[in-house]
Amino acid sequence: MYGHAGHHLLKASTRATRAGLLVVGRSVADQGLGRAAHSPVHHFTCPVAVVPYG
């Protein structure tokens, strides 16, 4: 797949069965949310959990 992760996450979360929770990982080394986590947190209608890893 090509494109931005946020776009693909949005498509996946709005398919026939609406997502009850979207879990997005983010590196603990990053200071901010990062591009992939920023879009869901600010634009999605389902609950979003951003989980640090690493």
Side-chain angles (χ1 to χ4, degrees):
M1 276 190 244
Y2 295 99
H4 298 290
H7 172 75
H8 293 291
L9 290 170
L10 177 60
K11 279 178 59 177
S13 72
T14 58
R15 293 231 166 99
T17 57
R18 295 194 46 87
L21 174 67
L22 176 67
V23 179
V24 180
R26 106 173 154 73
S27 172
V28 293
D30 294 340
Q31 293 294 323
L33 281 177
R35 196 171 185 174
H38 182 270
S39 182
V41 167
H42 291 285
H43 302 291
F44 287 23
T45 57
C46 70
V48 178
V50 181
V51 180
Y53 66 88

